[in-house]
Every structure is written in structure tokens, then in C-alpha cells.
Amino acid sequence: MTQGERVKAVRKTLGLTLDKFGGRLGVTKTAISNIETDNRNLTEQMAKAICREFNVNYTWLVDELGDMF
């Protein structure tokens, strides 16, 4: 699973739209969509923001080790 696919898995697990997910992170739905489809890389800053905002396990998000939460 790519980092983008893991971001999408988090969003779907939380039942959030691209709009709502991005809104909580201060970015547009297009930015989230680009990350999820691997058109854009997941930056360190965005990974940390996702982990902080949604209580996601950083190691899982970045390296797919451990559990999502």
C-alpha cells in the first residue's frame, strides 16, 4: 500500500469526505486527492498534521508498520 493509499484509508475509516478531511488540515480537497492518488508526495509536515489531527500512528502512515491508530 502506498502512502497515498494509507491516507485514503484513514479518511475512509473516519468517514470523511475529501472536503472535510482537507478542511481539518487546512488544505483543499484537491490537495488531499492528489496525495491519495500519488500525484503528489506526502510531505513530512502533512504526515505529522494528519497524525496530530486524527490520532494516526505516524510509523504506520509513513512506513506501514504497526496499526493505523
Side-chain angles (χ1 to χ4, degrees):
M1 187 182 284
T2 67
Q3 287 183 344
E5 289 169 334
R6 289 193 292 278
V7 171
K8 186 172 187 173
V10 168
R11 182 176 64 79
K12 293 286 190 182
T13 298
L14 297 170
L16 296 172
T17 63
L18 285 167
D19 228 1
K20 289 190 189 301
F21 190 81
R24 291 198 32 198
L25 296 167
V27 298
T28 65
K29 66 181 179 181
T30 304
I32 298 300
S33 177
N34 282 330
I35 291 169
E36 287 184 358
T37 56
D38 294 312
N39 291 330
R40 279 218 141 121
N41 289 329
L42 178 64
T43 64
E44 183 81 11
Q45 182 180 357
M46 182 58 71
K48 287 181 178 178
I50 290 169
C51 293
R52 185 173 49 250
E53 183 66 30
F54 301 108
N55 246 358
V56 174
N57 178 349
Y58 179 81
T59 311
W60 178 82
L61 186 61
V62 174
D63 298 319
E64 202 172 5
L65 298 173
D67 297 322
M68 184 185 295
F69 297 104

